Amino acid sequence: MQGVFEIIAERETAGGWAFDVQEIRGDGSLAGITLTLSWQDYDLFCPDGAVPPEGVARAVLEVARSLWPEGVPPRLDASTPRRKSGDADRRITERVDSRAA
């Protein structure tokens, strides 16, 4: 069973947004995650602004889960997945696009 993400809080920061997230892992354990999403990454993943920042954050978390199957790191920036996988940006954008439909 894959884990599930629950966004507990969203707040605006000087450069974008920060999300407090709880990952409910497949084994039932809980892990806290802080995800940051810059305005630049939001514009990259959702250039038309059709999906709210929380939807983009969820797409980032879902792709991150596939890149870190042992558990998403406790501090994650939306740009981090691209350093782990060359196709991460494309995968995130596809997930965001599916939310806009």
Side-chain angles (χ1 to χ4, degrees), residues 5 7 9-11 13 16-21 32-38 53-62 64 72-81:
F5 297 102
I7 295 180
E10 172 185 338
R11 60 194 173 283
T13 65
W17 299 267
F19 299 88
D20 296 325
V21 180
I33 300 166
T34 300
L35 170 67
T36 53
L37 172 64
S38 71
E54 180 179 334
V56 175
R58 286 187 184 282
V60 170
L61 290 163
E62 291 165 0
V72 174
R75 297 195 61 76
L76 183 70
D77 184 79
S79 67
T80 305

Side-chain angles (χ1 to χ4, degrees), residues 2-50:
Q2 289 190 334
V4 175
F5 297 102
E6 179 182 7
I7 295 180
I8 307 294
E10 172 185 338
R11 60 194 173 283
E12 288 192 39
T13 65
W17 299 267
F19 299 88
D20 296 325
V21 180
Q22 180 170 272
E23 181 183 12
I24 306 165
R25 295 188 171 161
D27 64 2
S29 64
L30 303 176
I33 300 166
T34 300
L35 170 67
T36 53
L37 172 64
S38 71
W39 291 327
Q40 292 85 356
D41 281 326
Y42 177 83
D43 289 343
L44 174 68
F45 300 134
C46 187
D48 63 1

